[in-house]
Amino acid sequence: MTIFIEGRLTVRPGHAFLRFVDDFTALELPLLVRSGVDVIGGWRRIGGPAEQLVNIYGFKGVAAMEEVGKVMQADPDYTKLATAYDWVGGSSFRYRRTMHAPLPFAPLDDLAELREPPDLRRQYVELRQRVLFGCEEKANELITSQLGAWEAAGVFRRALAYRTLHGEYGELTVIGILPGGRASFEELAETADPRIADELAQVVTEESANLLDPLPYSALQ
């Protein structure tokens, strides 16, 4: 089973964020790629905690992830990571890593097309919800309908969708593309089906929506 690892990093103050991205790109990213990690995407999150970086890594399963970890630790450059970010103050650096399983809302086969460089840089959006216990089937059905309605209206395109395996129960994330850029962000609410929204409110809670700007190293631009 394919799994995603989501890395969420908050770096403060703001000017340190850009330095961290530069150091990550030069020092850590090559090591990850050499070790066989599929770096699916990397974004700067707009909204929520300040200066937050979101990376999504893909693996063919837990065993494959463990094997990649062994390869990485055997790399001569691995030990350099221990001091690579010494300049970041401990209180200004917060990292959260969670494991997820893909959801059928966004077929993995579509990722190959999305990795092709677009004519214009894409604007992404992150939709997060927590599904109430025992309501997964109904929530999945309603979310699928809502995503389809947005796509029919031309204001959304699916990229990734996953549920949390280890962490808060029922956490669900959909990452999509806003074809009209940031202007499409408000159109999501304007084109939402009221009936679907009302029914979703009965089975999900703690909803949030934030813009994601692709970082230079991201395969999904």
Side-chain angles (χ1 to χ4, degrees):
M1 177 184 74
T2 298
I3 61 171
F4 295 144
I5 298 296
E6 178 192 273
R8 242 167 231 280
L9 175 69
T10 304
V11 183
R12 302 176 74 182
H15 65 268
F17 182 92
L18 296 178
R19 179 176 174 182
F20 179 87
V21 170
D22 288 342
D23 285 359
F24 173 84
T25 304
L27 304 172
E28 192 168 348
L29 183 62
L31 173 61
L32 293 171
V33 173
R34 284 200 306 272
S35 302
V37 178
D38 182 10
V39 184
I40 294 174
W43 297 270
R44 186 175 193 167
R45 191 171 186 251
I46 309 300
E51 306 304 337
Q52 193 168 83
L53 179 150
V54 180
N55 279 343
I56 304 294
Y57 308 104
F59 300 89
K60 294 181 179 179
V62 175
M65 182 177 65
E66 292 176 346
E67 187 59 34
V68 166
K70 294 176 183 177
V71 173
M72 186 183 303
Q73 292 175 30
D75 192 296
D77 287 341
Y78 179 76
T79 57
K80 298 178 182 179
L81 294 182
T83 57
Y85 306 114
D86 276 356
W87 56 269
V88 180
S91 62
S92 302
F93 188 96
R94 183 177 180 185
Y95 185 58
R96 180 173 182 260
R97 184 169 56 189
T98 49
M99 183 182 295
H100 308 265
L103 287 167
F105 309 150
L108 295 178
D109 291 345
D110 293 349
L111 278 178
E113 179 184 347
L114 293 178
R115 290 184 195 224
E116 293 296 323
D119 293 332
L120 296 174
R121 195 178 188 188
R122 302 183 182 108
Q123 177 67 65
Y124 289 81
V125 63
E126 171 198 67
L127 308 172
R128 296 176 75 91
Q129 298 168 317
R130 188 171 69 82
V131 179
L132 299 177
F133 183 77
C135 299
E136 295 88 348
E137 184 175 352
K138 182 63 174 178
N140 290 351
E141 175 187 327
L142 291 169
I143 292 169
T144 299
S145 296
Q146 183 59 81
L147 296 180
W150 279 335
E151 289 181 323
V155 298
F156 186 84
R157 181 182 178 185
R158 306 172 215 204
L160 292 167
Y162 49 86
R163 61 181 177 86
T164 300
L165 287 174
H166 301 288
E168 181 74 25
Y169 177 84
E171 279 189 340
L172 182 152
T173 301
V174 177
I175 294 177
I177 299 165
L178 299 176
R182 296 194 178 190
S184 293
F185 189 63
E186 295 182 1
E187 293 178 314
L188 293 179
E190 295 170 359
T191 57
D193 186 313
R195 178 192 62 82
I196 295 176
D198 288 343
E199 292 189 40
L200 267 174
Q202 304 304 311
V203 295
V204 304
T205 184
E206 298 177 20
E207 297 179 271
S208 66
N210 293 286
L211 293 169
L212 296 176
D213 287 345
L215 291 167
Y217 61 82
S218 179
L220 299 182
Q221 287 295 315

